[in-house]
Amino acid sequence: AQTIHQWPVAEIKAVGSPLSLGCTIKGKSSPNLYWYWQATGGTLQQLFYSITVGQVESVVQLNLSASRPKDDQFILSTEKLLLSHSGFYLCAWRTFYAETLYFGSGTRLTVL
Amino acid sequence: SQLAEENPWALSVHEGESVTVNCSYKTSITALQWYRQKSGEGPAQLILIRSNEREKRNGRLRATLDTSSQSSSLSITATRCEDTAVYFCATEGTGGADRLTFGKGTQLIIQP
C-alpha cells in the first residue's frame, strides 16, 4: 500500500528565517507530486508540481521554491519567511494514469 | 476571481437528514472532483465525474454534473456525525489533474 508522509507536523518560525518542508511517498514509483497551500479557512492553492525527478513546475509565485531530489521525495523551501507564508501546507501524489490526488496530513506553519 | 465556487458557505443539518452542496465553475472542464477535508487532515477524494457523465454515485454520495450551466452538486443521504467536514469541488481543465482548481469549500456540520 502507498503511504505519504509529511514532515514536520507543525512549525513555528520567525519572519526572515529559512524553511524546509518535506514529503515522502512510499510504495509507488514515479508518482506525480504536488504542493498545495491553504490559508486558515481558505481554498487549496496549488504551488508546484513535478512529474519526474529533478523537474518542478511553479504554479504560483509566493517566494517559495520546490525540488524533487529523489523519485519519492518532494521538498518545499524558502530562505526568508514572510508573515503571509503562514498556513497549512499539503503534499499530494497521483499516478500518471489516474486523476485522484492523495494528500498527506499536512504541515501547519505559523510565521511570527 | 475564483474559478470554482461552492455554495452555501456553511450548512448544518441533523444526523440522518440529507444534504446537498453545490458547485459552480467558470471554465471548460474535462472532469470535476469532490473532496472532503476533516479538521486537521488532508483532503480525501469522494467522487470524480467526467464531463460526459451526468451522475455518479458512491455509497451514500451522489454527484451530478451539468456542463451547460457549469454546475455540479454533491448530495449526501442518511448523514452521520462523521460526515462533518469541509467539502470542496475541484475542476480539471486543459491542464488535467496536474492543475486542479479548488473552490473555497462548504463547511458542513452534522448535529447529533
Side-chain angles (χ1 to χ4, degrees), chain A residues 32 34 36 46 49 59 94-96 98-101, chain B residues 27-33 35 48 50 90-102:
Chain A
N32 288 17
Y34 307 84
Y36 279 83
Q46 187 180 7
Y49 70 95
V59 177
R94 72 176 181 95
T95 57
F96 76 93
E99 293 146 278
T100 301
L101 288 189
Chain B
T27 60
S28 177
I29 64 169
T30 55
L32 185 144
Q33 302 186 38
Y35 284 80
L48 183 154
R50 302 193 185 283
T91 56
E92 295 180 38
T94 53
D98 283 335
R99 294 298 308 273
L100 276 186
T101 299
F102 285 79

Side-chain angles (χ1 to χ4, degrees), chain A residues 23-91:
Chain A
C23 171
T24 298
I25 291 83
K26 295 299 183 186
K28 175 59 66 177
S29 64
S30 304
N32 288 17
L33 298 176
Y34 307 84
W35 278 112
Y36 279 83
W37 172 75
Q38 187 177 33
T40 301
T43 189
L44 290 96
Q45 173 70 62
Q46 187 180 7
L47 302 176
F48 300 94
Y49 70 95
S50 170
I51 60 175
T52 192
V53 175
Q55 175 269 340
V56 176
E57 296 293 332
S58 174
V59 177
V60 175
Q61 290 296 328
L62 287 180
N63 293 306
L64 296 167
S65 61
S67 64
R68 186 170 178 177
K70 300 178 185 178
D71 186 53
D72 63 353
Q73 196 173 78
F74 208 16
I75 306 296
L76 184 70
S77 61
T78 182
E79 293 186 0
K80 277 191 175 182
L81 279 166
L82 308 173
L83 285 174
S84 58
H85 285 139
S86 291
F88 197 41
Y89 288 84
L90 290 154
C91 179

Side-chain angles (χ1 to χ4, degrees), chain B residues 22-107:
Chain B
N22 299 295
C23 170
S24 59
Y25 58 90
K26 296 183 179 179
T27 60
S28 177
I29 64 169
T30 55
L32 185 144
Q33 302 186 38
W34 283 96
Y35 284 80
R36 174 172 66 190
Q37 184 179 25
K38 298 188 177 183
S39 181
E41 300 179 3
Q45 192 206 56
L46 300 173
I47 289 181
L48 183 154
I49 184 165
R50 302 193 185 283
S51 59
N52 62 351
E53 297 175 311
R54 291 296 167 259
E55 179 181 303
K56 201 84 169 277
R57 292 178 184 266
N58 179 9
R60 296 182 294 112
L61 308 175
R62 173 178 170 262
T64 65
L65 180 64
D66 184 343
T67 53
S68 62
S69 64
Q70 296 189 313
S71 64
S72 175
S73 69
L74 177 70
S75 298
I76 309 173
T77 57
T79 54
R80 306 167 182 167
C81 287
E82 53 263 38
D83 293 327
T84 293
V86 178
Y87 289 77
F88 294 95
C89 63
T91 56
E92 295 180 38
T94 53
D98 283 335
R99 294 298 308 273
L100 276 186
T101 299
F102 285 79
K104 291 185 177 181
T106 290
Q107 172 68 65

